[in-house]
Amino acid sequence: MDPCTTALIVIDVQNGFVNRHSRDAIPAIAHLVQRWQEAGGPVVFARFHNAPGSPYERITGWTDLRTAEEQAFVDELAPYVVEAAAVIDKGQSSVFTADGAQVFREAGWSDLVLCGIDTDSCVYDSAVDAYHAGYRPWIVTDACASTGGSRYHDAALLLAARNISAGQLVTSETILQQLGAQGACA
């Protein structure tokens, strides 16, 4: 994996998604983003908005992620967002909105390294959509979490291993080692 042709995709690490199950992944995510940007690799942040009348509200009754405070990126990531290659606002789980797909296509990336919240929804759905769109998705297992807890996180990784490939599940350490071996991007 070449960080110069690979983007780090940080999915929905927003205040409204941080709880007792997900908060422990934030340091690993922030460290990964910091090192990726230091190496000159592109980082894309996805930000979820739950609009009134959304399927989340109509079907499940879920009305969170509506306020500016809930939608804000966590403080640990704020310094890195200003250096982002893109910020994709979305009202769906996958980062592959029309705008997101266009960002990836125009950048010409071959691989997408995915981290964030929720492993069992937005991260998994984005990985599957990346796979179907012809990108090689990598899920950073220790830089993801589920607001539902480890049971849902682990279930998503099990499905990803089956549907995308167990070889596409990596740790932050593995990614950072490859990043260090490749050197900085021009």
Side-chain angles (χ1 to χ4, degrees), residues 122-171:
C122 300
V123 174
Y124 177 79
D125 289 353
S126 295
V128 170
D129 285 352
Y131 176 84
H132 287 294
Y135 298 94
R136 185 176 297 125
W138 301 90
I139 298 175
V140 187
T141 59
D142 60 320
C144 292
S146 172
T147 56
S150 61
R151 179 172 84 162
Y152 294 99
H153 170 79
D154 293 342
L157 296 179
L158 183 65
L159 285 172
R162 176 170 169 75
N163 296 326
I164 298 169
S165 171
Q168 300 310 116
L169 306 180
V170 294
T171 64

Side-chain angles (χ1 to χ4, degrees), residues 86-153:
V87 174
I88 298 168
D89 288 306
K90 61 191 187 70
Q92 64 185 41
S93 59
S94 175
V95 72
F96 274 82
T97 62
D99 290 341
Q102 182 177 347
V103 166
F104 303 142
R105 187 175 46 257
E106 288 177 358
W109 299 314
S110 58
D111 293 49
L112 303 176
V113 175
L114 306 166
C115 65
I117 305 170
D118 276 320
T119 316
D120 52 312
S121 180
C122 300
V123 174
Y124 177 79
D125 289 353
S126 295
V128 170
D129 285 352
Y131 176 84
H132 287 294
Y135 298 94
R136 185 176 297 125
W138 301 90
I139 298 175
V140 187
T141 59
D142 60 320
C144 292
S146 172
T147 56
S150 61
R151 179 172 84 162
Y152 294 99
H153 170 79

Side-chain angles (χ1 to χ4, degrees), residues 48-64 66 91:
F48 181 81
H49 301 269
N50 186 13
S54 73
Y56 302 99
E57 178 182 32
R58 287 188 341 294
I59 297 169
T60 64
W62 185 66
T63 58
D64 292 346
R66 295 230 168 117

Side-chain angles (χ1 to χ4, degrees), residues 6-68:
T6 302
L8 175 62
I9 313 299
V10 182
I11 299 172
D12 303 346
V13 187
Q14 300 165 251
N15 291 328
F17 285 121
V18 177
N19 68 14
R20 66 186 177 94
H21 299 298
S22 60
R23 74 174 41 97
D24 289 345
I26 294 172
I29 295 167
H31 183 68
L32 191 59
V33 170
Q34 174 191 8
R35 294 282 307 278
W36 197 274
Q37 282 188 344
E38 286 173 354
V43 178
V44 173
F45 289 89
R47 179 174 39 214
F48 181 81
H49 301 269
N50 186 13
S54 73
Y56 302 99
E57 178 182 32
R58 287 188 341 294
I59 297 169
T60 64
W62 185 66
T63 58
D64 292 346
L65 271 287
R66 295 230 168 117
T67 69

